[in-house]
Amino acid sequence: MAKIVILTGAGISAESGIRTFRASDGLWEEHRIDDVATPEGFSRDPALVHEFYNARRAAARVAQPNAAHLALAELEADARYDVLIVTQNVDDLHERAGSQNVIHMHGSLFGALCHACGHRWPAPEVMTATDSCPACRRTATRPDIVWFGEMPYQMERIVAALEDADLFVSIGTSGNVYPAAGFVQGATEAGVETLELNLEPSTGTQLFDTSHHGPATQIVPQWVRERLARA
Ligand code: BJW
């Protein structure tokens, strides 16, 4: 089986109607990163942060997986490939497309986390700063999201899979946020072939062995079709 590790970012969900971060109409044009994507911002104004994630949770619920998500699920279903999707996205479109082997390295909109005791539970549609933790009863509820300055999830498993892969593919990410932005270098150093599929050249595009540029709903299914057609 060929082992393929696929990193995805906001660009793969863009054509499902979910906003990216760094485009001219992206989320960071309207919201200050320090306010909504850091633990310090959450401590200052939890209501504002909950409002930001409640709106994104609502948008993610109505979005549908697109042809790129579906193509990756089709690749995973082929017995010749051992596919691991490492997504920076906090939506659940990979799972709803049928992918089963998915790591959410930046957390999930659909999870709640108690800042006090570490308990996790499914997020209600609307979270508020006065929600209490079902385990310890304290009012320290936050979205289960990895903010700047926090350690992304399952890094040991990701690094091990990257080093053991035959191919690393990066889809729909600008390559600005670490540690994900460093995966291409780690893969290269481990002798793994690398491929970028993105709307435009990412920050680290020169580090990839091969790059294809275009909308994810076109170039991802095309790449998957080519892989599946191999004898
Ligand atoms: C399309 C498309 C279409 C559009 N088809 N493509 C200095 C140097 C190095 C690192 C640091 C530094 N100072 C601080 C750091 C660390 C920091 C960091 O990286 N900062 C940078 C800003 C420099 N990182 C962290 O703090 C992380 N933790 C950490 O490092 O812990 C320490 C550690 C870890 C491991 C080992 C050792 C130590 C945590 C990062 C948390 C990121 N959190 C966010 C928000 C939370 C999630 C959420 O709310 O959704 O995650 S930030 C935001 O950016 C979000 C995303 O997951 C992440 C990446 O964005 P993404 O997906 O790339 O989106 P865009 O918008 O940037 O790009 C979209 C791309 O798609 C574009 O290229 C488009 O062209 C393309 N596209 N339409 C195909 N149709």
Side-chain angles (χ1 to χ4, degrees):
M1 272 169 117
K3 294 179 192 149
I4 306 182
V5 175
I6 301 174
L7 173 70
T8 63
I12 196 167
S13 296
E15 291 165 87
S16 294
I18 296 185
R19 292 171 71 184
T20 65
F21 295 93
R22 294 173 180 78
S24 56
D25 60 350
L27 287 165
W28 295 158
E29 285 298 308
E30 281 173 23
H31 304 272
R32 280 168 35 97
I33 291 177
D34 284 353
D35 288 342
V36 297
T38 63
E40 294 78 17
F42 183 66
S43 298
R44 277 195 304 273
D45 192 345
L48 174 81
V49 177
H50 279 306
E51 197 183 303
F52 176 67
Y53 284 99
N54 286 338
R56 291 183 53 208
R57 188 177 304 110
R61 273 194 212 285
V62 298
Q64 296 301 323
N66 65 45
H69 299 103
L70 293 165
L72 296 186
E74 199 182 340
L75 184 69
E76 183 184 323
D78 188 299
R80 290 170 296 170
Y81 297 104
D82 176 359
V83 174
L84 172 64
I85 295 179
V86 178
T87 188
Q88 299 170 89
N89 298 343
V90 294
D91 65 52
D92 60 351
L93 296 181
H94 285 302
E95 287 88 345
R96 284 203 270 137
S99 290
Q100 298 189 3
N101 206 10
V102 183
I103 294 177
H104 282 269
M105 66 178 290
H106 289 166
S108 164
L109 284 169
F110 303 102
L113 168 66
C114 177
H115 200 42
C117 75
H119 181 66
R120 288 190 164 82
W121 67 100
E125 276 191 36
V126 177
M127 289 175 73
T128 73
T130 53
D131 292 346
S132 60
C133 167
C136 75
R137 298 285 159 209
R138 278 180 281 187
T139 49
T141 298
R142 55 169 280 182
D144 191 5
I145 300 282
V146 177
W147 289 320
F148 283 105
E150 297 182 322
M151 183 66 84
Y153 294 146
Q154 301 200 46
M155 283 306 300
E156 274 184 32
R157 190 177 154 208
I158 294 170
V159 170
L162 266 178
E163 290 177 355
D164 192 37
D166 298 298
L167 175 65
F168 168 66
V169 188
S170 173
I171 303 175
T173 177
S174 61
N176 282 303
V177 176
Y178 287 84
F183 289 173
V184 60
Q185 197 167 348
T188 302
E189 283 166 11
V192 177
E193 185 187 345
T194 59
L195 167 67
E196 170 176 78
L197 302 174
N198 202 46
L199 187 62
E200 60 198 0
S202 69
T203 303
T205 195
Q206 74 287 351
L207 300 172
F208 288 86
D209 295 320
T210 313
S211 294
H212 296 302
H213 299 130
T217 56
Q218 292 177 23
I219 60 176
V220 175
Q222 187 183 336
W223 169 68
V224 169
R225 273 196 303 274
E226 284 164 15
R227 294 287 320 193
L228 295 182
R230 286 186 188 182

